[in-house]
Amino acid sequence: MTVDQAAHAAESAKYPPGSQIEVRDEEWLVRNVTPTAHDGDRIEAVGVSEFVRDQEAVFFTALDDVQLMDPRRTRLTRDDSPNFRRSRLFLEAVLRKTPLPQSERGLALADSFLLDSLPYQHRPAQLALSGKNLRPRMLIADVVGLGKTLEIGMTLAELIRRGRGERILVVTPQHVLEQFQHELWTRFAIPLIRLDSVGIERIQREIPAGRNPFTYFKRVIVSIDTLKNTAQYKHHLERIRWDAVVIDESHNLINRGSLRNQLARVLAPQTDALILASATPHNGDARSFAELISLLDPAAIRDPERYEAADIEHLFIRRTKISPEVREQMKGQWADRGPSMSVHCAATAAEERVFEELAEVWLPRDGRSSVSESRLFPYTVLKSFLSSHVALAATVDARIKTLTTKEYAVPGPELAALHRLKDLTAGMSEQNSAKFETLVEQLRSIGVGPKSDTRVVVFSERVQTLEWLRTTVPAALGFKGKALQEAARVMHGGLSDEQQMQCVEDFGLADTPVRILFTGDVASEGVNLHRQCHQLVHYDVPWSLIRIEQRNGRIDRYGQSHPPQFRALILTSEVEGAKDDRTVAERLLEREDEAHRSMGTAEAVSGLYRADAEEKSLIQDLLRGRTVDESLDATARAAAAEDSGTDFLADFFGAVGDDPDEVDADAPPAPADVPRLFTNTREFIDEAMREAFPESQRELELDQDPETGLISFRPPSDLTHRLKALPLDYRREQRLHERLLVTLNRKLADLALVRARESSTSSWPEISLLTDLHPVMEWLTDKVLVRLGRQEAPVITANVKLPVYLIQGIFSNALGRPTVVKWMTVQGRTVTDDMVGVLRDAGVGPTMANPLHNHDLDLLSSGIPGALEAAEDFLRRHSTEWDRALLDPIEKYKERLGTWEQPTLAGPDTKSKLTDLADSLLTTGRPMLRILAVLDSTA
């Protein structure tokens, strides 16, 4: 460790979260401490003393005189509250506010949230905390539908409990912003402020000119499409450090040099934890995937062309629906999908004339050349026609416009052929469309109509097709009047982020009139459409197994209570040589279904791992005369040959980290050692309310229902201020400034969430679950912490023979993070690290009496220095033993780092930086000691 690091560690150990400091002649409660390059430690605090109470502030130790009072000068005070309520609440609050040490690998909050208990979803959090990597960094690559958002939420929650999640940035595609924000708040009580394009503009109007908008809120979610303009935001992003950054759909980061890739490379060095999520993280290129992994750990891969699964198992987790642990735990939680039904649609006479033109002129099979000057364009024409006549007309018009520019001075045969196609489509309408007629029949057969609640999502690749269907299908199904306008929504990439999010929300609320969502493949990534829907129709079929699987995954996902049903409209022709939907689409549907049932995913079938690559390869093979099966098998053989015997692709996409011998599918996650003085959270809330608000019914208009567990009250101004960190839509729609509805009853909270989905007014539930992370819990905890004065510790009358000093001891590393946290008692020279056990044995609890004994405070104070000395000696004697859990993985990483040489993926000083980082994680300096309370007898 360097001299500077040691000095910083000594400073950081002075200000652990939960401690009280004096700055500018006022008292503050430390919330978080992070190092800075030039200004010492950055201390986030909340005001305690009268003039600054509940005000949030940031101090820098190099700029402000920050004083943490010497623990030897702790002032003992009498507690006159009933049952020593004030003292017990204070101790519980300190236990709750103190971050868990870095060496604690168990999960502290696994069963605290509004979700089913599925141990497989805890695995990413366990990996992040395992110590296998220097920092909590990983790629969650579970296949579509397994619940990656929930896995991210649990991981973030555990980081927050460890003091490593104060500043969080979540980056997602624009159409899933609200969905992601909604899940993290309703499930985990982790509030994220949505900074879409409108949100950033609003904040920039409210804050001083030049102020960094990303410092305005601590936890934000923003669209990758907004942030990728690094020229506009790069200087802001480079000047702010995050505790955790999440990038969803991270396969979009792979292309080196792209704006998204540049964004990721700006963010990766500016965060401690980095979580990437993607169901399709690989593009088939070893080097590209290695570059993605290098964002997480630059030293993970030695040779970006040749590496194995074992090289990245500390960074990568992937399961499919048929993985052993998932399959066992999912029983009853996720209905099995039905078959993919191919619904044949015999071409109409008008469509057959187009097929004849395509077979004769554009895609002849008798050895003649196509009329087109472009080798690939005939398949563009074919695919647009297989979508709809309106899509074909748009393709033809665009090509005519291209060919009539100055570049093409002499009209050629292709232009004439285009005009013939234009004439053939000019008079066509829905009456000439076999697919249209069949779609209406299929929708009626599954119950979609004016008097039904049945919903369906209809996919098409072409915007023109989507818009045409939106204007024609509702009327054909019998919708009239206002319902005609409200029955369907259209969603595609040409809509704004607000419009896309509104489409998803309307379709997911049971009480809205939307029955059909016509959408393009913008909805095939990350969007949940299964809440009110289990029917999906492919109006046209993408020529990619990956894209088909992504589409199906919108309704075939965790939480789906009905068997998902898939239909694909297959246009058939009697024209000799016609390449109708049976040529490609129908066979791809069959191959996707086969792969999903046998392997849990279809993305590895072709060996190409990218939807656009699959389609391009397939078209090229069709031009060579190959069938779909021959094309898929040939590309897979080529990919396997390129692997040259390594386990590269097979291991990565055969579910890394899913060895059934390593996983007990029914085993709950290992719990963290989290000491608690109160029996449960409800007991803490009740007593905290009585202590902080003696006349709560008058002060807060508090109302508690003992049967349902509902707690209702009017938030005071200091809590209302904290609620500004909650989603704006949620605050406004639920009028949180007027009344809060919270509960510890999970069934009640879940019922509120279900009701919200059935409402047409808001998807936000009116009742929120009081997790340990909820702002109300944080507010109450701070309230009871400040009931004691500056550097005061209470004296509690208890069943002890000699005075017992309760002492908190914390060792920290060079980054100021706790590595060892011990809750000690000192009686004479005897030291234990079981404070809660000693309190229990001494009779400290809610039924204890407070005799208001007049303790000799001076005599008890004289014993403080000796107690602190004994506690520090105890910590030092055992520190090596406690450090072992932290030291072993760090030493293993440094050993691997010592032989690592890879200048192509990292800068020349990366190795030294990683070595310094490893050293900075080790315990250093003296422990921070704090007198919490003293137990004394009545004798």
Side-chain angles (χ1 to χ4, degrees):
M1 177 179 298
T2 67
V3 174
D4 288 343
Q5 287 173 332
H8 167 69
E11 284 296 305
S12 297
K14 290 183 181 180
Y15 315 113
S19 62
Q20 294 181 358
I21 57 176
E22 184 179 358
V23 187
R24 303 175 190 174
D25 201 32
E26 297 293 345
E27 188 177 353
W28 307 82
L29 187 73
V30 175
R31 284 210 178 140
N32 193 44
V33 182
T34 53
T36 68
H38 306 291
D39 297 324
D41 284 334
R42 182 183 189 273
I43 300 177
E44 297 178 34
V46 61
V48 172
S49 52
E50 182 179 358
F51 290 109
V52 295
R53 182 160 294 165
D54 295 313
Q55 292 184 23
E56 296 179 344
V58 174
F59 304 110
F60 295 90
T61 55
L63 306 176
D64 291 289
D65 181 16
V66 180
Q67 294 294 329
L68 179 73
M69 276 63 101
D70 187 333
R72 291 172 297 181
R73 298 177 183 174
T74 300
R75 187 166 66 90
L76 300 182
T77 183
R78 295 179 177 85
D79 181 355
D80 59 0
S81 64
N83 312 109
F84 290 99
R85 182 177 64 205
R86 186 175 306 128
S87 298
R88 292 185 296 107
L89 285 168
F90 170 74
L91 292 172
E92 176 74 7
V94 173
L95 289 169
R96 287 174 172 272
K97 293 294 285 188
T98 301
L100 297 181
Q102 308 298 290
S103 55
E104 177 56 75
R105 309 299 187 195
L107 302 187
L109 304 170
D111 297 322
S112 305
F113 305 118
L114 196 60
L115 55 147
D116 299 318
S117 181
L118 297 174
Y120 87 84
Q121 292 183 338
H122 299 140
R123 291 272 308 283
Q126 292 172 300
L127 177 62
L129 303 174
S130 67
K132 293 180 179 179
N133 189 20
L134 287 182
R135 295 171 287 184
R137 292 182 162 223
M138 62 181 169
L139 169 60
I140 303 176
D142 287 345
V143 300
V144 172
L146 264 65
K148 288 186 288 297
T149 304
L150 300 182
E151 294 169 351
I152 291 169
M154 279 184 274
T155 304
L156 291 177
E158 291 293 336
L159 293 177
I160 291 170
R161 186 60 185 86
R162 286 157 174 76
R164 304 179 73 170
E166 284 298 303
R167 297 197 57 81
I168 296 173
L169 173 66
V170 176
V171 184
T172 74
Q174 60 186 11
H175 54 278
V176 297
L177 277 176
E178 184 166 335
Q179 175 181 294
F180 203 111
Q181 179 192 35
H182 190 274
E183 288 284 279
L184 259 65
W185 170 252
T186 59
R187 302 290 187 182
F188 304 96
I190 299 176
L192 299 173
I193 292 294
R194 191 170 76 232
L195 295 185
D196 48 27
S197 53
V198 176
I200 289 182
E201 288 178 7
R202 176 175 53 81
I203 289 175
Q204 287 181 324
R205 288 195 301 267
E206 295 176 1
I207 64 178
R211 174 90 177 267
N212 190 335
F214 300 107
T215 63
Y216 198 67
F217 295 106
K218 293 191 303 181
R219 296 170 184 166
V220 301
I221 182 168
V222 64
S223 159
I224 193 169
D225 301 289
T226 299
L227 270 195
K228 70 182 182 182
N229 184 358
T230 51
Q232 181 177 357
Y233 296 114
K234 184 177 180 181
H235 66 290
H236 287 314
L237 295 173
E238 287 179 334
R239 285 165 173 75
I240 186 169
R241 285 200 60 84
W242 303 93
D243 291 315
V245 169
V246 176
I247 304 180
D248 195 20
E249 304 297 343
S250 55
H251 53 274
N252 294 316
L253 309 177
I254 286 180
N255 296 327
R256 194 174 184 91
S258 69
L259 291 176
R260 289 183 174 90
N261 182 270
Q262 292 174 30
L263 168 64
R265 296 197 171 279
V266 169
L267 291 174
Q270 297 299 108
T271 183
D272 176 40
L274 178 60
I275 303 172
L276 307 179
S278 173
T280 54
H282 203 294
N283 65 354
D285 179 72
R287 176 174 285 274
S288 293
F289 189 65
E291 290 177 351
L292 185 68
I293 293 298
S294 74
L295 295 173
L296 302 169
D297 180 2
I301 295 174
R302 298 171 184 270
D303 182 352
E305 305 289 349
R306 310 288 299 170
Y307 51 97
E308 299 180 354
D311 296 326
I312 65 166
E313 61 184 1
H314 61 299
L315 301 165
F316 186 91
I317 190 166
R318 175 178 177 80
R319 283 78 53 87
T320 72
K321 190 178 179 181
I322 66 170
S323 297
E325 59 173 332
V326 177
R327 184 178 61 247
E328 291 302 312
Q329 295 166 26
M330 273 293 186
K331 290 179 179 177
Q333 304 289 342
W334 186 352
D336 289 334
R337 63 186 269 181
S340 292
M341 295 171 51
S342 295
V343 183
H344 285 202
C345 317
T348 64
E351 288 171 327
E352 289 287 42
R353 287 192 288 272
V354 177
F355 271 123
E356 289 172 357
E357 180 72 9
L358 295 178
E360 177 66 25
V361 177
W362 294 88
L363 291 164
R365 66 174 191 166
D366 54 7
R368 291 181 294 117
S369 298
S370 169
V371 71
S372 178
E373 298 182 14
S374 166
R375 190 163 178 261
L376 298 179
F377 182 70
Y379 276 96
T380 302
V381 174
L382 173 64
K383 287 197 68 186
S384 63
F385 173 59
L386 293 175
S387 179
S388 69
H389 62 278
V390 292
L392 175 60
T395 298
V396 167
D397 286 344
R399 184 67 172 174
I400 289 174
K401 184 176 180 180
T402 298
L403 295 182
T404 53
T405 59
K406 293 181 180 178
E407 183 180 349
Y408 297 91
V410 180
E414 181 176 356
L415 191 59
L418 287 166
H419 280 289
R420 287 197 301 275
L421 283 177
K422 186 177 179 68
D423 292 339
L424 287 172
T425 60
M428 292 179 70
S429 66
E430 53 267 31
Q431 283 75 32
N432 305 114
S433 171
K435 278 190 175 182
F436 179 89
E437 181 180 347
T438 305
L439 174 65
V440 173
E441 291 173 355
Q442 289 294 311
L443 295 184
R444 284 176 178 155
S445 71
I446 63 178
V448 179
K451 297 181 180 180
S452 170
D453 293 332
T454 302
R455 301 191 182 199
V456 63
V457 55
V458 179
F459 272 97
S460 172
E461 291 189 303
R462 307 290 170 146
V463 173
Q464 298 84 5
T465 302
L466 294 171
E467 296 288 359
W468 168 62
L469 292 174
R470 165 67 182 87
T471 60
T472 54
V473 170
L477 289 171
F479 289 96
K480 297 178 181 179
K482 186 179 179 181
L484 182 64
Q485 303 301 318
E486 297 177 338
R489 292 282 191 280
V490 173
M491 180 173 164
H492 52 73
L495 302 180
S496 69
D497 49 0
E498 288 287 343
Q499 291 171 318
Q500 291 183 32
M501 287 186 290
Q502 192 62 51
C503 285
V504 174
E505 181 175 10
D506 289 347
F507 191 69
L509 294 174
D511 203 30
T512 58
V514 182
R515 294 294 174 265
I516 313 169
L517 177 64
F518 294 108
T519 182
D521 288 322
V522 67
S524 67
E525 291 185 355
V527 178
N528 295 337
L529 301 177
H530 67 295
R531 300 297 184 192
Q532 311 296 336
C533 174
H534 65 280
Q535 302 282 358
L536 184 150
V537 176
H538 299 277
Y539 194 81
D540 52 46
V541 178
W543 287 10
S544 159
L545 296 173
I546 291 173
R547 191 67 76 200
I548 295 171
E549 181 174 83
Q550 287 174 334
R551 283 185 178 185
N552 291 347
R554 297 313 99 212
I555 64 167
D556 183 19
R557 55 195 308 108
Y558 168 64
Q560 175 59 269
S561 56
H562 302 281
Q565 302 293 323
F566 308 110
R567 291 170 170 80
L569 305 186
I570 303 297
L571 187 61
T572 65
S573 172
E574 296 297 325
V575 172
E576 185 177 358
K579 290 181 170 56
D580 61 17
D581 274 322
R582 291 173 295 187
T583 307
V584 176
E586 188 165 37
R587 187 56 190 140
L588 286 177
L589 286 167
E590 293 168 352
R591 289 292 295 262
E592 187 275 339
D593 193 59
E594 292 166 4
H596 186 87
R597 297 182 188 282
S598 63
M599 298 184 294
T601 178
E603 64 185 325
V605 171
S606 70
L608 296 175
Y609 303 98
R610 289 199 331 270
D612 57 344
E614 281 189 332
E615 180 173 339
K616 183 178 179 180
S617 174
L618 178 57
I619 291 175
Q620 289 173 338
D621 282 344
L622 291 173
L623 287 168
R624 298 187 187 103
R626 287 177 173 172
T627 65
V628 168
D629 289 309
E630 289 169 343
S631 174
L632 293 175
D633 295 343
T635 53
R637 285 194 300 271
E642 189 175 337
D643 258 357
S644 302
T646 72
D647 66 350
F648 179 62
L649 297 181
D651 276 1
F652 284 169
F653 294 94
V656 171
D658 193 37
D659 184 346
D661 295 331
E662 297 177 359
V663 178
D664 182 351
D666 297 320
D673 181 14
V674 183
R676 283 283 189 266
L677 184 57
F678 280 63
T679 305
N680 53 54
T681 301
R682 182 56 188 258
E683 181 187 325
F684 173 73
I685 292 173
D686 289 345
E687 294 214 35
M689 281 290 193
R690 284 195 289 268
E691 177 65 21
F693 301 97
E695 298 183 32
S696 56
Q697 287 189 341
R698 179 182 61 80
E699 296 175 89
L700 303 178
E701 300 174 13
L702 179 66
D703 184 21
Q704 302 190 61
D705 187 333
E707 287 191 15
T708 66
L710 179 65
I711 304 172
S712 170
F713 66 98
R714 176 182 50 79
S717 57
D718 57 333
L719 177 55
T720 301
H721 176 73
R722 293 179 184 232
L723 297 181
K724 289 183 178 179
L726 272 58
L728 178 61
D729 292 346
Y730 172 59
R731 286 189 284 129
R732 183 179 61 245
E733 293 172 9
Q734 298 299 331
R735 304 176 69 86
L736 298 187
H737 61 287
E738 297 178 2
R739 196 148 197 86
L740 274 178
L741 300 177
V742 295
T743 186
L744 291 165
N745 184 336
R746 284 196 222 179
K747 290 184 178 179
L748 180 60
D750 190 57
L751 179 61
L753 185 57
V754 171
R755 285 176 176 169
R757 295 197 189 107
E758 296 173 350
S759 166
S760 59
T761 57
S762 174
S763 63
W764 297 101
E766 62 176 356
I767 303 171
S768 60
L769 183 68
L770 273 178
T771 75
D772 282 357
L773 308 181
H774 198 288
V776 168
M777 291 302 302
E778 294 182 342
W779 166 72
L780 266 181
T781 304
D782 287 347
K783 279 289 185 186
V784 298
L785 273 176
V786 301
R787 297 293 286 174
L788 289 176
R790 185 175 300 178
Q791 206 174 3
E792 288 183 346
V795 177
I796 304 172
T797 305
N799 183 24
V800 294
K801 294 181 179 180
L802 296 173
V804 177
Y805 294 83
L806 310 183
I807 301 176
Q808 179 191 49
I810 298 179
F811 274 113
S812 296
N813 58 28
L815 300 177
R817 300 192 188 113
T819 56
V820 174
V821 177
K822 292 297 173 182
W823 307 95
M824 298 173 288
T825 64
V826 179
Q827 187 175 38
R829 298 298 296 179
T830 302
V831 183
T832 76
D833 59 352
D834 182 17
M835 185 180 79
V836 172
V838 170
L839 287 168
R840 188 180 302 112
D841 293 341
V844 176
T847 61
M848 69 186 302
N850 186 347
L852 301 176
H853 184 71
N854 193 20
H855 297 278
D856 188 341
L857 300 185
D858 290 337
L859 180 61
L860 293 173
S861 297
S862 67
I864 288 178
L868 290 168
E869 182 180 336
E872 182 167 359
D873 180 62
F874 177 82
L875 289 174
R876 291 198 176 281
R877 281 189 286 110
H878 294 280
S879 62
T880 301
E881 172 191 346
W882 295 328
D883 249 357
R884 190 167 295 121
L886 194 68
L887 181 63
D888 289 349
I890 292 175
E891 291 301 319
K892 288 179 181 177
Y893 187 90
K894 289 176 66 178
E895 182 180 342
R896 178 160 56 89
L897 193 61
T899 60
W900 176 71
E901 294 291 342
Q902 184 43 262
T904 60
L905 288 182
D909 58 345
T910 297
K911 189 171 182 177
S912 62
K913 287 181 178 178
L914 290 174
T915 302
D916 289 344
L917 175 62
D919 288 335
S920 71
L921 300 178
L922 297 170
T923 298
T924 186
R926 295 183 59 184
M928 189 285 296
L929 298 172
R930 181 183 181 189
I931 298 288
L932 300 178
V934 179
L935 307 183
D936 192 25
S937 69
T938 57

